[in-house]
Amino acid sequence: MIVGILGAGQLARMIALAGYPLGLDFIFLDPSADACANTLGEHLLGDYNDPGLLAELAERADVVTYEFENVPAAVAEFLSAHTQVYPWPNALAVAQDRLIEKTFFHELGIPTPAYAAVDSFESLKQAMASIGWPAILKSRKLGYDGKGQSVLKSADDLKSAWALLEDAPAIVEAFVPFDREVSIIAARNVSGASVFYPLSENLHRGGILRISESREGDVMQAQAETYVSRLMETLNYVGVLALELFERDGQLIANEFAPRVHNSGHWTIEGAETSQFENHLRAILDLPLGATAAVEQSAMVNFIGNLPSTEDVLGIPQAHLHLYKKTPRKGRKVAHATVRADNPEKLSKLIKALTTLADQVDDS
Ligand code: AMP
């Protein structure tokens, strides 16, 4: 069985690593010659919209999936006309545009921050009258890791924030003074069976995820499962999906969802009975989904910008290091490590040891 993946970055890499024990082979399409999954399968080198390469991928792969949501609509349509593509392209259309995404949440009764569409400086000023301060201005498309976003604290910030967008369509949303950020990773297979992981509690800095901790038995688990089920059932979703949420006064408020495996679920490799990567493969191949229960408590720490010293990380005996084989670059996620413990005190000591190493290399 051959699985085709659009993209050959670290997510594709970890999907392939999870697929080897299941006897799967992989073929990647990625425009970068040194894409980090390229030694784990065959690499079709070229643009995502190269018709010849797309035809080859569709011809040779039994099923195609992707590691990023910004797959051009025409590419998803071409592939789905020629082979099986999961998740269905309808999930991409929603996740690629923050306005469509927020509207979709709203229609499903999933709470969101107050938001308004903005397509000119005038409309931004008007929207701020109803949204109130502080707020966040975000480009509707192609934003990730806080890119294309500005915090609006007062009317003085409006001009510079709008200029940064260069006239791209945007949304402005109320800034949520959240108590914490969580995400729920869920998987649904072709037959419609679903599983949910214990919540991840996430810490971001500068819009980039730094730490995710597993939260088995969290009080917000049931609410998060209700919301993510609604999303998956409505989209007839197949694969792993991550829903990112703010918690405020015991209520969850949706920020965004990713129709793919997610950084806040990397702890599942060592911290859950079945990893999100393996469950993504099981879901798209319509295999029984694996158990999602947490194995002890775990935490994942990202290394951003520069590589940590392998010796230093492995000097923490409980640490599991994942180097992505990516060339270090400012603000780039190049590795992560996961630690597990059977009690919160031990876990915080291990997290501290890892974050000390992460801070030494962090250039963001
Ligand atoms: P995003 O790219 O939308 O996931 O945003 C990246 C990070 O910015 C989030 O994980 C939050 O930490 C922060 N953020 C985004 N939107 C809001 C908001 N409406 N209120 C407060 N913080 C936000």
Side-chain angles (χ1 to χ4, degrees):
M1 184 70 87
I2 300 179
V3 177
I5 306 185
L6 282 175
Q10 71 263 27
L11 300 181
R13 184 180 162 84
M14 288 184 269
I15 293 172
L17 288 169
Y20 277 23
L22 297 175
L24 302 174
D25 292 311
F26 291 88
I27 176 163
F28 309 99
L29 171 56
D30 192 293
S32 162
D34 62 353
C36 71
N38 68 3
T39 51
L40 296 175
E42 195 172 333
H43 181 190
L44 303 178
L45 177 61
D47 275 353
Y48 293 119
N49 46 18
D50 180 316
L53 292 179
L54 283 174
E56 189 178 347
L57 185 69
E59 161 80 27
R60 294 182 48 202
D62 296 292
V63 55
V64 172
T65 190
Y66 37 83
E67 64 154 8
F68 62 106
E69 55 270 43
N70 290 316
V71 175
V75 169
E77 273 159 32
F78 176 91
L79 284 171
S80 32
H82 294 88
T83 189
Q84 201 61 67
V85 179
Y86 292 125
W88 305 105
N90 66 339
L92 292 175
V94 180
Q96 280 176 1
D97 184 323
R98 290 185 192 276
L99 181 62
I100 297 176
E101 185 181 36
K102 288 269 177 347
T103 310
F104 188 61
F105 285 142
H106 186 72
E107 285 167 3
L108 294 182
I110 302 173
T112 65
Y115 65 93
V118 163
D119 51 18
S120 66
F121 187 60
E122 245 346 275
S123 64
L124 173 60
K125 283 199 290 189
Q126 275 168 18
M128 284 313 296
S130 59
I131 301 289
W133 311 92
I136 304 200
L137 183 65
K138 300 179 176 180
S139 63
R140 278 173 59 175
K141 295 189 172 179
L142 296 174
Y144 68 98
D145 284 353
K147 289 190 174 65
Q149 298 190 14
S150 313
V151 177
L152 306 172
K153 294 197 176 112
S154 74
D156 294 345
D157 297 330
L158 288 182
K159 270 221 164 87
S160 55
W162 179 248
L164 214 67
L165 283 176
E166 298 174 340
D167 288 330
I171 67 166
V172 64
E173 59 185 56
F175 186 92
V176 180
F178 53 79
D179 301 319
R180 60 178 180 146
E181 286 191 83
V182 297
S183 56
I184 182 154
I185 313 280
R188 186 171 180 273
N189 70 10
V190 181
S191 303
S194 3
V195 289
F196 308 92
Y197 284 92
L199 284 191
S200 305
E201 185 172 320
N202 306 321
L203 187 80
H204 292 80
R205 201 168 63 232
I208 307 179
L209 181 67
R210 309 290 162 155
I211 306 172
S212 282
E213 280 186 59
S214 68
R215 288 277 176 232
E216 176 115 305
D218 195 280
V219 288
M220 303 314 291
Q221 183 77 29
Q223 204 178 110
E225 286 188 15
T226 304
Y227 293 157
V228 80
S229 294
R230 247 178 243 173
L231 270 181
M232 294 199 306
E233 296 303 321
T234 310
L235 293 166
N236 191 20
Y237 192 83
V238 175
V240 159
L241 181 147
L243 173 62
E244 293 187 76
L245 302 143
F246 304 119
E247 183 187 336
R248 167 97 179 127
D249 295 335
Q251 290 297 318
L252 293 177
I253 301 165
N255 178 25
E256 61 181 2
F257 79 92
R260 55 170 169 79
V261 289
H262 194 256
N263 195 174
S264 66
H266 289 1
W267 62 264
T268 61
I269 297 175
E270 293 89 8
E273 294 219 16
T274 315
S275 79
Q276 63 163 346
F277 302 100
E278 182 174 337
N279 262 336
H280 182 66
L281 290 166
R282 292 185 186 213
I284 65 174
L285 295 168
D286 205 19
L287 294 168
L289 297 171
T292 50
V295 180
E296 301 186 304
Q297 302 168 37
S298 55
M300 180 238 44
V301 172
N302 274 334
F303 294 99
I304 293 159
N306 293 293
L307 286 169
S309 136
T310 297
E311 285 73 17
D312 286 352
V313 178
L314 299 187
I316 303 166
Q318 297 86 345
H320 300 272
L321 177 62
H322 298 255
L323 298 170
Y324 304 153
K325 290 180 76 179
K326 280 163 75 178
T327 313
R329 199 167 64 208
K330 190 172 164 50
R332 197 177 206 197
K333 293 169 183 166
V334 289
H336 78 263
T338 300
V339 283
R340 270 195 346 233
D342 58 10
N343 72 65
E345 291 72 36
K346 270 194 218 160
L347 190 65
S348 349
K349 278 200 189 122
L350 291 167
I351 295 173
K352 180 86 194 98
L354 280 182
T355 51
T356 304
L357 297 176
D359 288 346
Q360 283 166 8
V361 295
D362 193 336
D363 66 354
S364 57

